Amino acid sequence: MTAERVTADFWFDPACPWAWMTSRWMLEVEKVRPVDVRWHVMSLAVLNEHKIDELPEEYRAFLSVDAWRSVRVCVAAAKEFGDEVLGRLYTALGNRFHLQGLPQSRETLVAALEEAGLPARLADAAETDAYDADLRVSHKEGIDKVGQDVGTPVIAVPGPDGDEVAFFGPVVTPAPKGDAAARLWDGTLLVASTPGFYEIKRTRTKGPVFD
């Protein structure tokens, strides 16, 4: 632990429920540790494009269309208004996708943009590849820190010795709050900053719990 404030860079795909759980935990971490989250976009579609033929049909259909829509809107918003808009736009999108179960329709995207104080016209980005090059740059920046064998989210933060520590996850449900959020943060940094450490994992026994 340190009293000095640090920035945690967080790469997310707004469509991923597990990244959403981790992001809500990080908002708790901001309250109990000297950490400021800086948001970036990554893409499940880009992550899986090299193996899309091996995936279940329903997931392939999602990756081919819907998985591009909200990330493109996020990139368009950040490109025009700066990365600082991503946090509130992510919250507006995630509440609709994960809590309300709404589809990635234009209506949903427009409502999220308006809640985030952004112009509805940015929803047009969902239907064009005009921002895909920027999306790939942001995705690569995050995934290069951890390798191709993981997913979203990716978190990068200065470690105890000042060197960057980056990791996938943690995958957790429900999102810990208060002291529990602080303990998970401290433990995650301890484990992730251990030289030569790569993985702790166990089988998921339940899906995301949105509370």
Side-chain angles (χ1 to χ4, degrees):
M1 291 177 55
T2 175
E4 183 179 351
R5 297 200 69 82
V6 299
T7 297
D9 289 290
F10 189 109
W11 280 264
F12 68 92
D13 184 318
C16 177
W18 292 105
W20 173 254
M21 300 302 300
T22 308
S23 74
R24 300 310 93 179
W25 164 66
M26 284 302 303
L27 294 183
E28 285 290 313
V29 171
E30 285 189 312
K31 300 174 185 177
V32 294
R33 289 291 182 264
V35 174
D36 299 309
V37 180
R38 183 164 55 196
W39 306 96
H40 309 270
V41 182
M42 64 185 298
S43 168
L44 289 170
V46 174
L47 183 70
N48 289 286
E49 61 186 356
H50 67 288
K51 59 179 181 181
I52 193 166
D53 291 339
E54 306 168 13
L55 300 173
E57 182 177 353
E58 183 178 358
Y59 194 45
R60 289 203 308 272
F62 163 74
L63 292 175
S64 298
V65 181
D66 280 352
W68 290 98
R69 295 172 59 78
S70 59
V71 289
R72 284 170 167 169
V73 171
C74 286
V75 171
K79 191 171 181 66
E80 183 167 349
F81 296 99
D83 288 345
E84 60 271 17
V85 306
L86 285 175
R88 64 179 188 267
L89 179 55
Y90 184 21
T91 292
L93 289 166
N95 283 336
R96 286 165 173 79
F97 296 159
H98 307 302
L99 302 188
Q100 300 174 34
L102 297 176
Q104 291 209 37
S105 64
R106 181 179 178 83
E107 181 181 8
T108 302
L109 296 172
V110 167
L113 286 163
E114 291 177 342
E115 180 184 318
L118 295 165
R121 60 177 169 74
L122 289 172
D124 295 344
E127 308 302 334
T128 175
D129 63 1
Y131 297 94
D132 287 6
D134 296 288
L135 170 59
R136 289 178 181 278
V137 168
S138 181
H139 175 91
K140 185 176 187 301
E141 183 183 7
I143 206 69
D144 279 356
K145 296 179 183 296
V146 292
Q148 294 289 332
D149 296 330
V150 300
T152 177
V154 170
I155 299 175
V157 65
D161 60 0
D163 291 338
E164 184 179 69
V165 173
F167 50 89
F168 159 67
V171 177
V172 61
T173 187
K177 296 179 173 61
D179 289 342
R183 288 194 301 271
L184 180 58
W185 177 251
D186 295 342
T188 300
L189 287 189
L190 176 64
V191 168
S193 61
T194 299
F197 176 83
Y198 294 106
E199 185 172 357
I200 287 179
K201 191 170 184 178
R202 58 185 173 188
T203 301
R204 300 177 198 173
T205 58
K206 59 183 178 181
V209 176
F210 305 117
D211 59 356

